[in-house]
Each structure stands twice: as structure tokens, then as C-alpha cells.
Amino acid sequence: MGFRDLVIDAWSWLNYKPVFSEPGHSRGMPYRRAFPEAYATWVPDDDVRRLASYKVLAAYDNNQAGELAEFRDGAAARERREFGDPSMFIDTLVAHVMGREQHIVVPGAEQTDTTGQSDNAAAAERVQELLREWAEDELLPMRMLQAERKAVGLGDAVYLLYWDSDKQRPRLRTYDPGFYFPVLPEDGDSSDYPQKIHLAWELPEDPRRQLKKRLRRITYELDWIGPATASGIDQNGRPVRAPVMSEPTDDNPATPLLNRGDTLDDTGSITRLYPWNDQPTARTCYLTDAIWDIGDLTGTNLDVDNLPMERAQFATSATGETLDRLDLYLDFIPLIHVPNTVPPAEEHWGQSSLAKALQAFDELANSDTDSARASATTGLPMIGISGSGDPKQRYDVGPGVVFKLGDTGKLTTIDTAPALRELREHRHDLADRAANIVRLPAVSLGTMDPSKVPSGYALELSLGPLDSLIAGMRLARAHKDTLLLRFVQRLFIAGQHPDWAGVTPLPAKLVRGPYTPTDKGAVLEQVTTAYEAKVISLETAVRMLTEVGWPIEDAAKEIEQIQSRSFADARLLADALGNAEETADFLGRKPAETSQAPTPNLPPVPTQGDDENPAAEEPQGSRGNE
């Protein structure tokens, strides 16, 4: 007998599905006929289950789980009813984890004090303004929505950043995680940033262009800085990169040249000082973009990280550079992997939000299928006729139909409505069970009547599971969002954009808005009370209002507008400091051109005989002489 091993890994929650477990396989590998792309010759064995799980999850999202099960269970699996419950769960979670709005915030940009930190505040405000302009031009919320749907539904998402010389800005692209193949360390922590990442996918055959089935692989690798290279052609006519050599002389043979700005240190390493670093480094990022014919990929030890480079056809960039280990002049890989959940210790992959509830979705589909069959018999009831004479005679049931029966004839109907009612109630129970497993309360799904909520406190308690869920999901994304904005700043500087000349990269955060109904009036009352009591600053007060959905587009400008009308506070500031310039700066106005006080306008000195002031008739001090 062939015993099967118990496989517990990041995708073992799919082991219950027959299509995910090929019979007779000791490692619980997926059914080969259902997942042929996962068994491609270039796919590593460790990635087969991961790629198969992505296909299963995508099938549930697109109401095709029955179509996928047909490979294993036969044509009967196509009768499965799928009404979009997994897709609805994904859309709901994506909306919650995204929040109603997203803001790029650079700490310090909202500070308006004048205690010697105005230069830092101005620099932070400048970086924040430039990043927000980039986000608007690059349609960042839409790119995030594309990535979040991949992350929530499949468990992982991938961002790619690259410099576009035509648009003069970093471009952001989202990739399917099935194209993402990082080279993870065998003896290290898989949660560390990989030093080498492949993006690979197959290109279909194109008979019209006489193109065979091909494999495209884009590789980013952090490696030691090497000598300068230039585009060239090898002996077979392929575009390749070759080292740039110096002119040979009688005394010195030709030697490899260094790239501009590189230096050779005492140890023989080539180092480079990047504009965003304080110390030189000996690492750079290389880009390789190549295509192979699938028919050329043969061999036992072949995978995506070990392809025959002598058979590769290298691509060419828009500037004419051959993409064969092209030096990008970056000390980082501009790829960001976004897991849906915080990966377990020493793991790299996230988990889909549908993973633990997948069996509940199967039961929902089975219940929907049974309900569809029961509704057919309920809408067109089954009737038995006895005593009609000829037992072989058939009758059509319809409006106005008359049945001629004998003396002992009788009509018998079978009522299936109670069974349909039970199936519907069972379906509601399964839907609630799936929502509890995913930690989506009914109020977040929109299936609860708001009038039935006893109080706001009860509503807040019901949202407790959702709060913890979204907090964990946002925690998994917090560092990735910061990394994304950091890479954007470095690419702008590396691209020598004129607006970024002299700008120093600063830490930036992507703040996601609220996802639950918020009592704006209550928050306003809390903010007002705390600000009047001087326990929070104006910057904190404005930020709190922004986070609950108040229409404040730019917190810094909002603070400036508030201060420009705070004449009472300006008067107190002038009395405390006695400095007209700082007071004018507080109000956002220009101070007076002269710093000298104006000449006072004294009342005129009354003359003798003035009827309006009889006391002026006597000289001052005359009474004292008397």
C-alpha cells in the first residue's frame, strides 16, 4: 500500500480538495491535468503548490470552481451553482483595508512652529508636496486597488517601480504573484528582502507571426559593482553587453574601465556613493530581460533560476541599451512583495483571506445547487393521477388544463416548499458561518438592518473582530507602503528630475483612511475640548479630523488658514514675544517695512482764553506760587 505523507505548509488548507491532491503522490501535489502551467519544466518544485493555489483561488473569485473541479470529478461538477460569495467577501475586505481615502504624510510637514525648525518643516512639506503630485499623476489609489485585490484574494501582490524617461517620473506597475519567483535563502530568514528576484511567465504561440511558445524572464539582482559595460553583438549576432576596455599601449595592455563615479578601493572592490547614502557601497542592482523558446528548455536540473543563458534573446530598452545585466545605478531592487497577512516566522508568503473559509464556500455552493433543484419542483409541482383509465397516458400540467378521471380517480400533489425553506435557512446559516470565519460581521457586509442595532456601543462591539482583522492586514502592509514611497524618492533623484534637485529623501507614510462608520460630531467635540484645554496641538487636532473623514485635503494649508484668522492668538503672541515679524509670520502676512515705532499723535496744547478749558487761563503752577 502507498501511504501518503501529511503535508502542512502555507497551502495545506487546500489539501481537502481532490483536485489539489493527485492520487498516489506522496507529497500531496496538485492534479496535473488541472494545473498544467504549474508543472512547466522551468517552474521549481517548491512553487508548484503555490501556483496551483493561486489558480484555485482565482477560480473561486470568478465563479469557476466547478469548472476547475471537472478535471477531477467529471462533468457532474459543472452543475455547481456559484453566485459570487467569495468575490463579494474579497471586495468587502479590499474596501476595508484600503479605507475611504489615502494620504501621503511626511512627518514634520504639518509643523508651523518658529523655534528654529522651520527649515526642516519646509523640507518635509516640500517632499510631501512632490510625493502627492506623483501619486496624483501615477493614479496611486487605482494601482493600490489592483494590488490589494490580488493580495486579499490570492494572498500576495507585487509592485514594480521603474523610471520612465519620457514621462520623467517613476512608474508603478502591479504584477500577478504567479509571475513572482524570489530566490530565497536556504539557511536564512525567508522574511528578509531577497537579493535576486525573477518575474517569469510564458508567452503563447503566435502562428501568424511564426512565433513559438516562449518564456520571458525579467531578473533583478543585487550584486557587486563591476566594470563598465556597453551594448554589443556576440559572434551569433545576439545583442549582449560587453566590458568597456581602455586603449592598449606599449607599456600597458587594455584594462576594463570603471563606470562614471565609481572608485577602486584598497581591497580591489569597486565602490559607489549614491545620492541618498552617507557612505559608499559596493552593491548595485542589475536588470536582465530575456526570452527563451520553450523547446530549448530541456534538462533535469532546469528551473527559472537556472536557464541556459547562451540560448537567451535579450531585450533592448527604449534608449537602446541591451538588458543583459544592465547596471541600474541603484542599491535596491525596485520590486515590493506585499503579503496579505503577516507571514509566519521565517516564511515569505501571505495567506488569502478566503483560505480558512473555503470549505464553507463549498457548502454554500452545494446548498445553492440543492436549492435550485428544489425550486424547480416547487415552481412546477409533481402530480400523481390515479384512476384515470390508461396508466400509460401522460398529462401536461398548465393553467386551464382539465383532467378526466374515473369514478375512483384522484390527484395527488407533492409539496416541496418546506424542503426549499429549510435549504434557504441552511444557506443563511452557512453564510453567517463563513462571515464569522473570515471575521466579517454582518454590519460590514451590509446584510444587517441598521434599525435593529440597539445602540452605537453594541455596533462598536460587533465590529471588534473586523477591527483586529484590518489591524493585522494593515500591519503587514505598513512597511511595504513606506518602502514604496522611499523607492519613489530615490528614483526621482536617480533620474535627476529638476524638481528634486537638492532634495534629501525623508521618511514618508501612506495613511489609510477609516473603514467603519465614524461619528464625526463626537470626534469634533473631543478634538475641540482637547485643543481648548491645550492638551493637543493644532496639528494633531487637524490630523484627527482628517482621519475620520473631514474634507481636509492638505493639513498644512488648513492650519495656515486657521492661523491667518486667529487674531486673538496673534495678539497674545505679540504681547509674549514683542516681535512683529514672528507675529506677522504666524498670521501668514508680511511685516511692516520699518521696525521703528510710529511717532505718537499727541493732543494739541490748549492756549489761554480757551473757553472750552477754563483751567488753561491760569499758568501751570500758579496755584503753587500762592
Side-chain angles (χ1 to χ4, degrees):
M1 295 178 61
F3 292 96
R4 180 177 171 182
D5 296 338
L6 175 62
V7 179
I8 300 179
D9 58 5
W11 304 278
S12 57
W13 41 270
L14 272 172
N15 286 349
Y16 80 96
K17 298 189 72 65
V19 74
F20 200 73
S21 302
E22 187 173 4
H25 203 292
S26 60
R27 292 185 57 195
M29 299 299 283
Y31 197 55
R32 186 178 292 270
R33 287 187 56 200
F35 309 100
E37 59 281 342
Y39 286 96
T41 56
W42 56 271
V43 174
D45 293 340
D46 294 338
D47 290 297
V48 172
R49 286 170 61 83
R50 176 173 69 91
L51 298 184
S53 70
Y54 291 157
K55 187 172 183 178
V56 172
L57 292 167
Y60 274 86
D61 186 18
N62 293 279
N63 292 346
Q64 291 180 288
E67 186 177 348
L68 183 63
E70 183 183 5
F71 287 96
R72 180 68 172 78
D73 300 334
R78 295 293 296 268
E79 299 179 4
R80 171 191 178 110
R81 294 292 190 271
E82 298 177 75
F83 298 143
D85 292 278
S87 180
M88 183 265 293
F89 274 59
I90 292 175
D91 291 336
T92 303
L93 284 170
V94 168
H96 289 335
V97 77
M98 284 278 293
R100 294 193 182 97
E101 53 193 10
Q102 301 80 37
H103 298 283
I104 295 177
V105 176
V106 177
E110 301 172 357
Q111 298 299 323
T112 58
D113 59 354
T114 57
T115 59
Q117 298 181 359
S118 57
D119 294 340
N120 296 334
E125 185 178 359
R126 177 60 176 164
V127 172
Q128 178 177 276
E129 180 183 358
L130 291 173
L131 286 175
R132 289 181 176 180
E133 290 178 358
W134 170 82
E136 184 176 357
D137 294 339
E138 196 56 25
L139 305 177
L140 180 60
M142 186 188 72
R143 305 296 183 189
M144 291 179 60
L145 185 60
Q146 293 173 344
E148 289 297 348
R149 214 179 188 289
K150 295 287 186 183
V152 173
L154 304 181
D156 303 282
V158 179
Y159 285 123
L160 171 64
L161 282 163
Y162 64 96
W163 176 257
D164 191 331
S165 57
D166 293 333
K167 296 185 179 294
Q168 285 293 297
R169 70 170 185 264
R171 302 299 306 277
L172 182 63
R173 182 178 297 178
T174 302
Y175 275 91
D176 190 283
F179 300 159
Y180 174 68
F181 295 89
V183 181
L184 302 176
E186 296 182 357
D187 55 351
D189 191 348
S190 297
S191 62
D192 291 341
Y193 205 93
Q195 300 296 302
K196 188 176 183 181
I197 297 176
H198 302 293
L199 294 174
W201 62 94
E202 291 187 2
L203 302 174
E205 182 182 2
D206 190 352
R208 297 181 58 184
R209 300 170 57 190
Q210 297 182 353
L211 294 176
K212 299 179 181 180
K213 193 175 182 180
R214 295 148 295 154
L215 169 68
R216 184 180 180 185
R217 190 192 72 179
I218 303 174
T219 301
Y220 292 88
E221 182 179 7
L222 280 177
D223 205 349
W224 303 109
I225 299 176
T229 60
S231 299
I233 298 177
D234 65 359
Q235 58 184 2
N236 296 324
R238 292 188 314 157
V240 293
R241 298 194 69 82
V244 178
M245 308 298 290
S246 64
E247 291 293 337
T249 62
D250 297 338
D251 298 332
N252 297 318
T255 57
L257 297 179
L258 301 182
N259 287 296
R260 184 179 57 182
D262 292 352
T263 58
L264 190 65
D265 60 12
D266 297 337
T267 62
S269 299
I270 302 175
T271 60
R272 181 182 302 163
L273 180 61
Y274 294 97
W276 48 82
N277 290 340
D278 296 331
Q279 298 293 331
T281 179
R283 307 279 281 182
T284 188
C285 181
Y286 292 100
L287 169 63
T288 302
D289 188 352
I291 293 178
W292 288 263
D293 287 340
I294 294 296
D296 295 337
L297 303 181
T298 58
T300 56
N301 297 324
L302 189 68
D303 61 21
V304 69
D305 191 42
N306 186 24
L307 298 178
M309 302 305 297
E310 65 276 4
R311 298 182 181 179
Q313 294 293 331
F314 298 104
T316 304
S317 68
T319 57
E321 294 286 350
T322 302
L323 302 182
D324 174 20
R325 283 184 62 85
L326 175 66
D327 191 345
L328 297 181
Y329 279 83
L330 302 173
D331 62 344
F332 60 92
I333 296 179
L335 270 167
I336 301 174
H337 166 241
V338 182
N340 181 51
T341 57
V342 177
E346 299 183 357
E347 291 292 339
H348 185 78
W349 308 102
Q351 188 178 85
S352 169
S353 296
L354 304 181
K356 301 300 176 59
L358 216 55
Q359 295 190 46
F361 288 124
D362 285 342
E363 293 295 331
L364 272 172
N366 294 334
S367 177
D368 290 334
T369 304
D370 294 339
S371 298
R373 293 171 178 171
S375 62
T377 60
T378 302
L380 187 62
M382 294 179 289
I383 300 177
I385 301 177
S386 60
S388 61
D390 187 3
K392 297 182 179 180
Q393 185 178 359
R394 299 184 60 86
Y395 297 90
D396 294 329
V397 180
V401 175
V402 178
F403 300 97
K404 295 181 179 180
L405 306 179
D407 296 338
T408 60
K410 184 173 64 173
L411 290 176
T412 303
T413 61
I414 301 176
D415 184 13
T416 60
L420 179 60
R421 190 179 306 110
E422 290 293 332
L423 285 173
R424 288 178 176 176
E425 292 179 358
H426 179 57
R427 202 260 180 211
H428 290 311
D429 292 341
L430 289 173
D432 293 339
R433 183 71 174 271
N436 292 335
I437 295 172
V438 182
R439 288 190 287 173
L440 278 177
V443 64
S444 66
L445 291 171
T447 58
M448 174 182 287
D449 186 358
S451 62
K452 295 182 179 180
V453 179
S455 65
Y457 183 69
L459 175 63
E460 186 176 355
L461 288 178
S462 67
L463 291 174
L466 179 64
D467 292 338
S468 61
L469 171 65
I470 299 301
M473 296 174 68
R474 289 189 174 184
L475 177 62
R477 292 157 172 79
H479 175 65
K480 308 297 182 178
D481 293 342
T482 302
L483 206 60
L484 172 65
L485 299 178
R486 184 190 307 168
F487 288 174
V488 169
Q489 297 180 66
R490 293 183 178 182
L491 285 174
F492 264 119
I493 295 174
Q496 299 181 357
H497 194 281
D499 292 343
W500 286 78
V503 175
T504 301
L506 296 175
K509 298 187 297 183
L510 187 61
V511 179
R512 301 169 185 251
Y515 56 90
T516 55
T518 306
D519 189 351
K520 296 181 181 179
V523 176
L524 176 61
E525 182 179 357
Q526 295 175 359
V527 169
T528 304
T529 303
Y531 179 67
E532 291 178 350
K534 305 300 180 184
V535 296
I536 62 173
S537 64
L538 180 59
E539 292 81 2
T540 302
V542 173
R543 188 183 302 114
M544 291 174 62
L545 294 177
T546 303
E547 291 177 354
V548 297
W550 280 76
I552 300 175
E553 297 182 358
D554 192 327
K557 292 182 179 180
E558 190 73 20
I559 293 172
E560 292 177 359
Q561 293 176 0
I562 293 174
Q563 291 182 343
S564 66
R565 298 170 177 85
S566 301
F567 299 110
D569 293 340
R571 186 183 302 111
L572 295 175
L573 180 64
D575 294 341
L577 301 179
N579 190 325
E581 293 183 358
E582 294 191 13
T583 304
D585 183 66
F586 175 81
L587 292 173
R589 303 188 180 190
K590 295 182 179 180
E593 296 182 357
T594 176
S595 60
Q596 297 180 354
T599 304
N601 295 323
L602 301 178
V605 179
T607 59
Q608 295 183 2
D610 192 350
D611 296 337
E612 295 181 359
N613 192 0
E617 297 179 357
E618 298 182 2
Q620 188 176 0
S622 59
R623 296 182 182 272
N625 294 333
E626 295 178 356

